[in-house]
Amino acid sequence: GCSLTFGVLVILFLNLVQNAFYIVTAFSGIVLKVPLVASGYSLTAQTFTAAFCLLGLPFIFAGIWGAIGKYENHVRLYLGYMILSLLVDVGWLIAFLATEDLCEKLPPVLQKHGSAFACGFMRIASVLVLAQVAIIQLYFVYTVWSLCEDLKMSGGGKGLPELLRSNRDQHAKRRYLAPHGDEYFGMAANFPVAYGAFASPGLGGSTRLFDGQHHDTNYPPKFA
């Protein structure tokens, strides 16, 4: 699978595209008087949505900077904006379900099967879709929170994948520089080294313990 940082960057990109879409839609409908896809809402709703999306742009860019540079505080700023956006979406969904009657706008395909069936189908489908959207948003929030905790624990330093990759690079460098072990590794010539294709001779100038004679290992010794 992809890394946690890559997943957060994908979430940030999707949020940036979403905010840009609502800003352009509101600008076209309110200022240019050219209605687009989502221009069917009231002027108040479009203005609030555009203002909230404009407010979120600095947080999104801060999150991108934090995810790339591994800055915990920047990512946490975006996490706060995500939580606030989730609360706004939940409030809008609750207001929509409480005030709108889905049975008034039934598709012609469903009306052929009877109004009761069509009304029940629309309500169940709406609840399922809204639940899926809420679950996806919660998963995105959890992903960003996980990156914040990861940066908090690692201090913004290298993570496990980077350490493993760096370890492989160090091994390759040591194998390449093995014939020059004394120069690059700071090893003394009197100490043996066996690494890869490089092997130095054994210890030189050493002497045998007790001159190679018998010695007593018991305590107290038998012979004083």
Side-chain angles (χ1 to χ4, degrees):
C2 62
S3 63
L4 189 59
T5 302
F6 178 79
V8 172
L9 288 175
V10 171
I11 294 173
L12 286 163
F13 175 75
L14 294 177
N15 200 348
L16 180 62
V17 172
Q18 179 189 23
N19 284 23
F21 171 77
Y22 283 119
I23 292 171
V24 171
T25 302
F27 179 80
S28 177
I30 298 174
V31 179
L32 303 180
K33 305 299 181 181
V34 179
L36 295 179
V37 178
S39 300
Y41 297 101
S42 64
L43 180 62
T44 303
Q46 294 185 55
T47 304
F48 174 79
T49 303
F52 189 81
C53 291
L54 282 173
L55 176 65
L57 291 180
F59 294 95
I60 295 175
F61 289 118
I64 295 175
W65 187 13
I68 296 176
K70 297 186 181 300
Y71 302 123
E72 177 196 352
N73 294 333
H74 295 69
V75 182
R76 286 197 181 274
L77 284 175
Y78 175 68
L79 177 62
Y81 171 75
M82 281 194 72
I83 295 175
L84 179 61
S85 178
L86 177 62
L87 295 178
V88 172
D89 290 342
V90 170
W92 181 86
L93 292 177
I94 294 175
F96 175 79
L97 294 177
T99 58
E100 297 291 334
D101 188 6
L102 300 176
C103 299
E104 294 181 355
K105 301 177 181 179
L106 297 176
V109 178
L110 295 178
Q111 291 179 1
K112 297 179 181 180
H113 299 279
S115 59
F117 170 80
C119 183
F121 178 84
M122 286 295 297
R123 287 178 177 176
I124 294 175
S126 300
V127 172
L128 291 177
V129 170
L130 295 179
Q132 289 179 351
V133 172
I135 291 173
I136 292 174
Q137 284 188 309
L138 288 173
Y139 177 73
F140 285 173
V141 171
Y142 176 75
T143 303
V144 177
W145 174 82
S146 299
L147 180 61
C148 293
E149 292 299 313
D150 182 71
L151 295 177
K152 179 181 179 180
M153 297 300 296
S154 62
K158 293 184 177 181
L160 182 58
E162 289 81 4
L163 290 176
L164 292 176
R165 183 167 55 251
S166 177
N167 185 41
R168 290 193 296 267
D169 295 341
Q170 289 296 328
H171 276 284
K173 181 178 179 180
R174 289 196 176 191
R175 285 193 297 268
Y176 178 76
L177 300 176
H180 309 284
D182 294 342
E183 177 182 356
Y184 289 94
F185 303 150
M187 301 176 183
N190 294 331
F191 292 91
V193 175
Y195 194 92
F198 174 58
S200 64
L203 292 171
S206 60
T207 59
R208 303 179 66 182
L209 293 174
F210 298 98
D211 294 328
Q213 300 177 2
H214 173 76
H215 59 282
D216 192 0
T217 57
N218 296 321
Y219 188 84
K222 298 179 179 179
F223 305 95

